[in-house]
Structure formats: C-alpha cells, structure tokens
Amino acid sequence: MGNELYRKTCRKAQQIMDDAFEGTVFFAFSEKQFEEGMKKIGAKSPKELYSLNGTGGFYKKSDAPKIHKAFADMSKVKADALASGGEEYAFRMFSEELANHEFGYARDLDPTIEATGYEVEDICKSKVLWSGMVRALETYGMTPETIELNYGIRQAFD
C-alpha cells in the first residue's frame, strides 16, 4: 500500500477544495487584496462575506452551502480512506507528515497533527489514529509515555 492511499486521499481532498473555491473564495492579506478579491467574486460589501476562520480566506454568505458541502465531502474522503486503510493508513499518514514537517529535527508535533486535518482530541479518542501515530513516533524513538510526557497527549479510550 505504501503511502499511495494517503497521497491519493490528499489529492482528492485538495481537488474537492479547489473545485469549491474556484471563483468563490479569495484570500487577502492587505486592504488592496481584499478589495480586489471582493470584486473578483462579485461582492459589493464586506457584510456579504464570511471568513474562513482566520486563514485570510473569504467567501460570499450566499456560497456558504457550497463551501460547507466541500468541507463535508473532504471529511468523508478522509474518513473513507481511514476506514479502508485502518491503522496502516494512519501509520503511513503520520509517518509522511512527520517527515514533511521535519519532526526528527524540530520535535514539534503540532505541524504534523495540523497537516493531517485531525484534532488532538480525535487522535486520542480513536484506537486507529492513536495506534498509527504511536507507531510513526516510535520510528523517532518515542513511546506512548514519552508522547504524554513531551506533548501532554495520551489515549482517551479503554
């Protein structure tokens, strides 16, 4: 299986977002970009917009159902991949993101967790996600005890 299922899932999720965002969402980090973005999506007033939770992204309130559906579809793609790949999928997902975010050097787990799209609480409550993360971290010499000691993260299931 390799990491291909994880990479395929990432590509599919990205395509869902790209399709939903095309012509609907703009990102702005300056007043000029904001004004240009509003014009691009046909918004006349900032009151017509929602923010994408502090990402710098904006979309028209009238497009909220489309954006919400895209996030739901993306979550389903991820859930289906996890369900079909199980712990091996979770292990490979975490392994890939640990490497991508230079965990071996930085020892910062937050970027890895953020990149997976899961919350710490999700990982702690899921035997599959927890086991996959622990296996991936074991390749860096960590155990469940050191994960808890260093990051305050521990399993929350029986």
Side-chain angles (χ1 to χ4, degrees):
M1 172 168 59
N3 282 13
E4 191 51 38
L5 178 58
Y6 178 61
R7 290 178 186 139
K8 180 180 175 184
T9 301
C10 289
R11 286 190 302 270
K12 190 171 184 177
Q14 185 62 53
Q15 189 62 54
I16 289 168
M17 298 315 290
D18 290 348
D19 291 348
F21 283 18
E22 181 66 34
T24 306
V25 175
F26 70 90
F27 290 86
F29 304 99
S30 70
E31 189 63 37
K32 180 180 179 189
Q33 289 175 337
F34 187 80
E35 290 170 11
E36 289 171 353
M38 280 187 42
K39 188 184 294 185
K40 179 180 158 188
I41 66 168
K44 308 252 187 278
S45 163
K47 292 180 181 180
E48 294 178 56
L49 303 176
Y50 283 136
S51 168
L52 277 172
N53 295 330
T55 63
F58 299 90
Y59 59 96
K60 288 169 56 173
K61 291 177 180 178
S62 61
D63 288 325
K66 178 180 180 180
I67 301 302
H68 294 166
K69 182 180 180 324
F71 279 109
D73 290 350
M74 187 176 68
S75 292
K76 183 173 180 348
V77 164
K78 288 175 36 182
D80 290 349
L82 184 62
S84 72
E87 183 188 324
E88 186 65 21
Y89 172 83
F91 165 69
R92 293 185 181 281
M93 172 184 68
F94 284 114
S95 294
E96 178 138 332
E97 295 303 343
L98 286 165
N100 286 347
H101 296 282
E102 299 179 338
F103 180 80
Y105 171 75
R107 294 292 190 193
D108 186 356
L109 193 53
D110 290 339
T112 295
I113 291 173
E114 185 177 323
T116 68
Y118 291 100
E119 299 291 327
V120 170
E121 294 78 21
D122 299 328
I123 297 165
C124 293
K125 291 178 183 176
S126 165
K127 288 182 182 181
V128 171
L129 290 171
W130 177 260
S131 297
M133 183 183 76
V134 168
R135 277 183 57 203
L137 285 168
E138 284 174 343
T139 65
Y140 293 91
M142 302 196 81
T143 64
E145 294 77 22
T146 59
I147 294 166
E148 182 176 358
L149 180 65
N150 291 325
Y151 303 104
I153 299 172
R154 64 185 172 98
Q155 77 176 36
F157 56 86
D158 296 319

